[in-house]
Amino acid sequence: MPSSLVSHRSLPLLLLCLVGLQVACAGFFFSDVVSDYLEDSAAAASRLHLYVETAAAVSLFAAIVVEARLLVWLLRRKAHLEQAASVATQALHEVIEAHFDRWKLTPAERDIALFLVKGLSIAEIAQARGNAEGTVKSHLNAIYRKSGTTGRGELLSLVIDGLLAPAEPP
């Protein structure tokens, strides 16, 4: 389904509604099967119809059980992945902050360096901070000097290496 029609947050509710509709349909089929059994028609064509209806009702109930278990598993998996992403985001933030502390960046330099790590251009950083591009460039030169790098690529490489390096013993 296109994402514009259903948000990822409303998808579980939509799936729950579809399972509910299937339960209602299965209930209808099951009650029809019971009604047909109670009529106790002896005709062979009627028996074949009854067997097909019974198989359809049982299959629908089985599908509902499988879908419900799958939905629960998917929701648990989603919660686990969201929690893992949150932990990773926090770890990334801590690594970046540790670099900024080691480099002794000023608050303005930290702000600009964070925008730089996020991939913003000089013009975008200037606009976001309400500064002139020259001011941002001046801060970037100070950041590069303090970090011992010569540009954005080297700075990003240094930050990424900090993520990949094994933790130092205390």
Side-chain angles (χ1 to χ4, degrees):
M1 236 179 252
S3 61
S4 60
L5 295 178
V6 179
S7 75
H8 70 280
R9 293 175 194 236
S10 64
L11 189 58
L13 180 60
L14 176 65
L15 291 175
L16 191 59
C17 289
L18 288 174
V19 169
L21 182 60
Q22 286 179 314
V23 168
C25 291
F28 171 78
F29 281 125
F30 185 73
S31 67
D32 189 45
V33 167
V34 170
S35 172
D36 288 349
Y37 272 119
L38 293 177
E39 287 177 8
D40 198 33
S41 174
S46 174
R47 286 286 175 207
L48 178 60
H49 170 77
L50 189 58
Y51 295 146
V52 170
E53 251 184 14
T54 301
V58 169
S59 298
L60 191 52
F61 275 119
I64 291 167
V65 169
V66 169
E67 289 171 352
R69 291 186 70 185
L70 182 60
L71 181 60
V72 167
W73 179 82
L74 287 172
L75 290 173
R76 285 183 181 155
R77 180 75 177 140
K78 178 182 178 236
H80 171 73
L81 290 174
E82 286 174 346
Q83 195 264 341
S86 176
V87 168
T89 299
Q90 182 60 35
L92 175 61
H93 180 72
E94 289 173 7
V95 167
I96 291 170
E97 287 297 321
H99 281 297
F100 293 175
D101 289 342
R102 192 170 34 261
W103 299 333
K104 296 180 178 35
L105 298 183
T106 66
E109 291 167 346
R110 284 174 176 265
D111 197 27
I112 289 171
L114 190 56
F115 282 133
L116 187 74
V117 169
K118 289 181 178 181
L120 275 67
S121 68
I122 292 173
E124 291 169 328
I125 295 171
Q127 183 181 8
R129 290 189 38 84
N131 294 131
E133 287 185 31
T135 303
V136 172
K137 288 177 183 178
S138 174
H139 284 297
L140 285 174
N141 285 330
I143 293 166
Y144 297 147
R145 183 178 35 78
K146 290 178 179 182
S147 65
T149 60
T150 58
R152 179 189 300 250
E154 256 186 75
L155 183 81
L156 290 174
S157 179
L158 198 58
V159 170
I160 290 170
D161 283 346
L163 290 171
L164 301 177
E168 296 177 13

